[in-house]
Amino acid sequence: MAAPAAQEQAFPASIMAEKMESMKLNDGVATPSDASDSKPASIAPKQSAMTNGVSPGQTVKVPLEYPLDVSKPLTPAPLTTEQTTAYDTVLSTASSWTNIPNTSARDSATAPITDTERMWLSRECLLRYLRATKWSPSEASTRLLSTLTWRREFGVYTTTPEQVSIENETGKQVLLGYDFNARPCLYLNPGKQNTKTSQRQIQHLVFDLECLIDIMPPGVETWSLLINYSKATSSSSPSIATGRQVSGIFQNHYPERLGKALMTNLPWFIWGFFKVITPILDPLTRPKLTFNENLRNHVPPTQLLSTHGGDVDFEYDHSVYWPALLKLAAQRKKEYEERWVRGGKRIGESEMYLKGGDGKSLAEMEKQG
């Protein structure tokens, strides 16, 4: 059963500006001066150029840490009675898993489910798979288990920054800024391709997707992809086979994660690529694709790269950007994991709580009755 459309929400008051006093400027971007586990100021109360936007003439080299206050996450619609029942069924099934297959091969060996995998099974994660399967508990459970296996087999938890660093040396993928719904933005620049087609290219993309998830502010579950085909050639752009593999990863293992895919400067051969790839896309995904639109209508100009029509003068320096991205993602992930442990290591934990928002942990809600 379809849920009502999502509405915009105001950001939790408890995370407004809590770290403003402890911020220091680092190559054009504010970074916390201490690594304590206080709630992140995911949204600052003012559009401060120092912390969220960019001052005129300022050159940025590292990720912007927080969205602007004009960026509002969408509030998920409340669950219906039928949807709540479906969720409870999937939660019970996921909670019963003790061993996970190591590969997708028939008769694959299994290994005990890890804390990291249990933590991945948040309330919102289960709901994303339910929405993707039209609220079928059995299908959602099957797909969740399939993704847990895929994450092991693909190496999501074992791929290191060192393995994929070379793929980002030209800045062909950049995480920077947030759109008007506070979704983190990933810029994809095929014209800056620096390596030959390989599995490592896909590992690099998945690595960045995981970083996007790590830096999402409370109340945000989706990302925006900004794909600029300027200077792209047929040899530098993904092959149809690669496109199919990536599309399968997105749809099967990151369902309900795409907010927008904003594509610009499409050459003729890319139009041909989309004619081939579009029919295999989920019907709910197709409306999220936009072509050659004014990106200032989607991303605040002071968080949008000048190469895409924004006001951010961004200079890619791999020796500066890459360590800064890794540090930001690692810190957010550390805080998320610490909250999960404090909450009792529960499957079905709230991401609003885990992200440091106003939401309470399952244990806290149970105490309140």
Side-chain angles (χ1 to χ4, degrees):
M1 181 179 295
Q7 303 295 323
E8 286 189 353
Q9 66 174 336
F11 288 110
S14 67
I15 61 173
M16 295 284 195
E18 191 166 316
K19 285 190 177 181
M20 291 293 288
E21 294 301 322
S22 65
M23 303 300 285
K24 60 183 180 180
L25 195 62
N26 180 9
D27 283 320
V29 176
T31 55
S33 58
D34 69 75
S36 65
D37 186 42
S38 57
K39 290 187 177 180
S42 299
I43 308 299
K46 297 180 181 179
Q47 294 183 26
S48 166
M50 178 177 174
T51 56
N52 298 319
V54 177
S55 299
Q58 178 186 16
T59 298
V60 174
K61 294 185 179 182
V62 298
L64 301 174
E65 293 193 9
Y66 307 121
L68 298 174
D69 64 334
V70 297
S71 297
K72 308 295 184 184
L74 297 174
T75 301
L79 300 185
T80 65
T81 300
E82 294 85 352
Q83 290 168 350
T84 300
T85 299
Y87 172 78
D88 289 342
T89 300
V90 173
L91 175 61
S92 176
T93 299
S95 298
S96 71
W97 292 333
T98 57
N99 288 275
I100 306 296
N102 292 325
T103 74
S104 56
R106 189 189 299 268
D107 300 324
S108 167
T110 65
I113 188 170
T114 66
D115 275 355
T116 299
E117 291 166 333
R118 287 169 51 81
M119 182 173 64
W120 179 78
L121 292 165
S122 66
R123 172 181 173 82
E124 286 77 8
C125 176
L126 304 190
L127 289 174
R128 285 190 290 272
Y129 278 75
L130 276 166
R131 290 195 298 270
T133 56
K134 298 180 174 59
W135 298 94
S136 167
S138 60
E139 189 176 348
S141 298
T142 297
R143 286 187 56 179
L144 281 163
L145 188 57
S146 174
T147 294
L148 283 169
T149 298
W150 172 82
R151 291 174 73 84
R152 286 185 174 188
E153 188 171 21
F154 186 86
V156 172
Y157 301 120
T158 56
T159 298
T160 66
E162 292 74 22
Q163 286 176 275
V164 297
S165 174
I166 188 174
E167 294 290 344
N168 220 76
E169 287 184 350
T170 58
K172 67 186 178 189
Q173 292 180 191
V174 172
L175 280 71
L176 192 139
Y178 301 78
D179 71 9
F180 279 115
N181 289 122
R183 304 180 187 107
C185 296
L186 174 61
Y187 291 81
L188 304 176
N189 303 292
K192 296 183 178 182
Q193 183 58 265
N194 63 321
T195 60
K196 295 181 179 180
T197 300
S198 68
Q199 183 69 2
R200 189 180 61 195
Q201 288 183 345
I202 299 175
Q203 289 174 322
H204 174 223
L205 176 60
V206 169
F207 185 89
D208 273 357
L209 296 182
E210 292 292 315
C211 287
L212 282 173
I213 293 170
D214 289 335
I215 70 174
M216 284 176 181
V220 177
E221 299 182 46
T222 57
W223 53 57
S224 280
L225 304 180
L226 288 76
I227 311 172
N228 183 1
Y229 287 97
S230 176
K231 300 182 180 180
T233 65
S234 57
S235 60
S236 68
S237 298
S239 66
I240 290 177
T242 298
R244 288 181 183 274
Q245 183 179 358
V246 170
S247 176
I249 288 173
F250 271 68
Q251 293 187 169
N252 295 326
H253 305 303
Y254 293 94
E256 301 290 308
R257 282 297 198 181
L258 178 64
K260 287 286 184 181
L262 310 169
M263 286 164 277
T264 55
N265 299 309
L266 278 77
W268 64 269
F269 56 85
I270 294 297
W271 283 113
F273 171 81
F274 277 105
K275 284 183 179 179
V276 173
I277 211 76
T278 298
I280 69 173
L281 295 177
D282 185 280
L284 296 178
T285 299
R286 294 172 200 164
K288 299 176 182 179
L289 309 182
T290 71
F291 302 92
N292 294 325
E293 292 190 4
N294 184 349
L295 300 187
R296 295 170 76 95
N297 295 328
H298 297 278
V299 182
T302 55
Q303 292 215 334
L304 177 66
L305 296 189
S306 58
T307 53
H308 291 64
D311 299 338
V312 179
D313 180 13
F314 179 75
E315 177 184 322
Y316 189 79
D317 181 336
H318 190 66
S319 66
V320 176
Y321 167 86
W322 190 245
L325 171 64
L326 300 179
K327 180 180 179 181
L328 175 62
Q331 180 61 31
R332 298 283 172 85
K333 179 182 290 186
K334 175 177 178 290
E335 293 170 355
Y336 187 100
E337 292 174 348
E338 288 174 348
R339 293 185 189 103
W340 186 69
V341 171
R342 287 201 300 269
K345 297 186 175 182
R346 303 277 292 273
I347 288 177
E349 187 61 89
S350 161
E351 286 181 10
M352 181 63 82
Y353 158 72
L354 293 170
K355 289 284 187 178
D358 284 344
K360 298 182 182 299
S361 68
L362 287 174
E364 290 171 325
M365 289 188 287
E366 289 170 356
K367 286 180 180 179
Q368 292 180 347

